[in-house]
Amino acid sequence: MSKIRKHPPAASGTPTGTSSGTPSGSGSRTPSGAGSEDGRNRSAEVSRRRLLGGAGAAGAAGLVLGAAGGAAGYAATRPEAPAALTSLGATEAMFHGKHQPGITTPLQARGHLVAFDLVAGAGRKEAAALLRRWSAVAEELMAGRPAVGGSDGPGHDAGIALDAGPSSLTLTFGFGRTFFARTGLTGRLPAALDPLPAFSSDQLDARRSEGDLWVQIGADDALVAFHALRAVQRESAGAARVRWQMNGFNRTPGATARPMTARNLMGQIDGTGNPKPADDDFDRRIFVPASPGTPQEWMEGGSYVVVRRIRMMLDDWEKLPVERQERVIGRRKADGAPLSGGGETTAMDLDKAGPGGRLVIPDNAHSRISSPEKNGGAAMLRRPFSYHDGIAEDGTPDAGLLFVCWQADPFRGFVPVQRKLDRGDALSPFIRHEASGLFAVPGGAAEGEYVGQRLLES
């Protein structure tokens, strides 16, 4: 898996802090149900971009830097010393690895999803050059260095993220079904990119769906994330144009007193049942296995991502009493525990009945219908962002979930679960699927490679 490391603070004796989180974007930095990526704390030069006046800033785990000693004392004796980054800003995700970053990486506080279409006349050659530029920019920015070179010439950087560290920045790249025809690579098109079936809850806007190329950007700082977005858009000039863009957010790491799974905009704890990297079958469920000699061998170590913009009918939802909301979901709102009892991570007892023989977890509860036990073991790694795009003309909030889920095969992960939900989920009246996309995300780039090189140069 891709790696994460933390840069040590510049001042000797200053606590680095810890960083943990959830795929649902809680204050924790250990993914809920997914676990954190293979982490490693190793000595490294502090990023060239630093947090000015950082002494006394709170770290991701609530540690305080400076005070009577540490960074503050160091600055008093060495005025020329730069301020230390907090652990939140110093955390760096590795660009190179077996898998691309942004899949099992702890979910960040800010996200951008953007799809591109190749411009008229652009083909395989132009696509390869674009992925090469994107990969170079991603490697620099994820290391906390300025984006130099590319379309703006040597040494140019917009300066949007000056003073900040890497802030857990990740960039993840994928290919849509149409990309293969545009680049003459239809012989390499995976069957897993077949169009998703239609669902009754779909009200999809084609202008905000699919695309030749897809990029996911995540970071724990909004300016760092936006800086990466601008760099990606800038490097696409002449090769691809933006088809759609969506902006999301999650709880900032360290915002809760203890590590917690995050809540979505309905106030529900979201992400409890995610597969965990420690599970024996995690890789089999999430990542594509090796297939030497086949047209799809370029997908080894990759994954398939389903992206859905799901509008939440928040005004209607918030009119329900809490007890009714809990029966719709099948979990307690206060702590995420199943209605059958226990704590958040307690397995659901789907057969438990209450007085009068009524199932404690209703037969149409969202958590029951979507559970692996009710879908032949089908599972996916959910890694969403919430979104809020203002107020609609009817006065209701245009808000909800940018649902992002990962699996080795969407027709064994997302599709069977969504089909089951489509037939009787109690949550359906309160949500609407407004956009959709399916993308093949190849494995991580090795040192000296760019993302997608094994496809585009095969």
Side-chain angles (χ1 to χ4, degrees), residues 3 24 35 44 54 100 147 153 166 197 204 213 218 268-269 303-304 331 340 355 367 405 418 423 446 449:
K3 308 292 185 183
S24 296
Q100 286 197 57
L204 304 182
L213 292 154
Q268 301 293 145
I269 289 179
S303 189
Y304 292 92
R331 290 182 175 274
S340 53
S367 60
C405 72
Q418 187 59 35
R423 291 197 291 266
E449 276 190 337

Side-chain angles (χ1 to χ4, degrees), residues 89 292 351 377 424:
D351 297 322

Side-chain angles (χ1 to χ4, degrees), residues 49 141 145-148 152-153 155-162 227 234:
R49 297 183 296 175
L141 294 182
R145 298 187 290 265
V148 297
D152 282 339
H156 179 85
D157 183 85
I160 300 168
L162 286 177
H227 183 223
R234 188 170 61 244

Side-chain angles (χ1 to χ4, degrees), residues 93-145:
M94 301 294 98
F95 174 73
H96 296 291
K98 182 178 180 181
H99 312 300
Q100 286 197 57
I103 301 176
T104 59
T105 307
L107 188 58
Q108 303 101 322
R110 187 68 180 177
H112 300 292
L113 309 179
V114 56
F116 294 82
D117 287 334
L118 294 172
V119 300
R124 183 172 175 177
K125 178 181 177 182
E126 290 76 15
L130 174 59
L131 267 298
R132 193 178 294 112
R133 294 196 301 272
W134 274 352
S135 296
V137 164
E139 184 173 5
E140 292 299 297
L141 294 182
M142 285 175 55
R145 298 187 290 265

Side-chain angles (χ1 to χ4, degrees), residues 17-294:
T18 59
S19 184
S20 58
T22 74
S24 296
S26 72
S28 151
R29 298 297 293 153
T30 300
S32 166
S36 63
E37 284 192 276
D38 297 337
R40 57 184 179 188
N41 296 328
R42 63 187 186 187
S43 296
E45 178 185 359
V46 177
S47 169
R48 291 167 55 189
R49 297 183 296 175
R50 299 177 185 279
L51 192 65
L52 295 180
L63 296 177
V64 177
L65 305 180
Y74 188 88
T77 57
R78 296 282 300 278
E80 75 280 5
L85 288 167
T86 68
S87 60
L88 181 65
T91 303
E92 176 186 349
M94 301 294 98
F95 174 73
H96 296 291
K98 182 178 180 181
H99 312 300
Q100 286 197 57
I103 301 176
T104 59
T105 307
L107 188 58
Q108 303 101 322
R110 187 68 180 177
H112 300 292
L113 309 179
V114 56
F116 294 82
D117 287 334
L118 294 172
V119 300
R124 183 172 175 177
K125 178 181 177 182
E126 290 76 15
L130 174 59
L131 267 298
R132 193 178 294 112
R133 294 196 301 272
W134 274 352
S135 296
V137 164
E139 184 173 5
E140 292 299 297
L141 294 182
M142 285 175 55
R145 298 187 290 265
V148 297
S151 58
D152 282 339
H156 179 85
D157 183 85
I160 300 168
L162 286 177
D163 316 315
S167 301
S168 303
L169 175 68
T170 60
L171 292 93
T172 316
F173 305 98
F175 306 117
R177 181 178 177 83
T178 52
F179 177 83
F180 294 82
R182 299 292 304 275
T183 55
L185 290 165
T186 52
R188 304 282 183 178
L189 176 66
L193 274 185
D194 285 352
L196 296 174
F199 302 103
S200 63
S201 60
D202 287 353
Q203 297 184 33
L204 304 182
D205 180 353
R207 296 169 299 178
R208 293 191 294 183
S209 300
E210 306 300 348
D212 292 343
L213 292 154
W214 176 77
V215 184
Q216 173 188 259
I217 297 169
D220 283 333
D221 178 78
L223 285 179
V224 169
F226 182 79
H227 183 223
L229 176 64
R230 287 295 302 130
V232 165
Q233 291 175 334
R234 188 170 61 244
E235 294 299 332
S236 69
R241 59 177 179 81
V242 174
R243 179 181 178 90
W244 54 258
Q245 180 190 322
M246 300 176 189
N247 307 314
F249 59 90
N250 282 293
R251 177 174 282 155
T252 301
T256 56
R258 58 183 176 82
M260 296 177 67
T261 310
R263 296 181 185 273
N264 59 35
L265 297 189
M266 287 180 162
Q268 301 293 145
I269 289 179
D270 191 351
T272 300
N274 262 334
K276 303 175 180 64
D279 296 342
D280 292 339
D281 59 354
F282 181 85
D283 280 3
R284 177 179 62 80
R285 288 181 169 188
I286 307 305
F287 295 113
V288 178
S291 56
T294 71

Side-chain angles (χ1 to χ4, degrees), residues 406-425:
W406 300 88
Q407 57 263 289
D409 184 344
F411 291 89
R412 295 183 179 179
F414 171 79
V415 171
V417 175
Q418 187 59 35
R419 277 179 170 155
K420 184 70 71 66
L421 291 169
D422 207 39
R423 291 197 291 266
D425 179 16

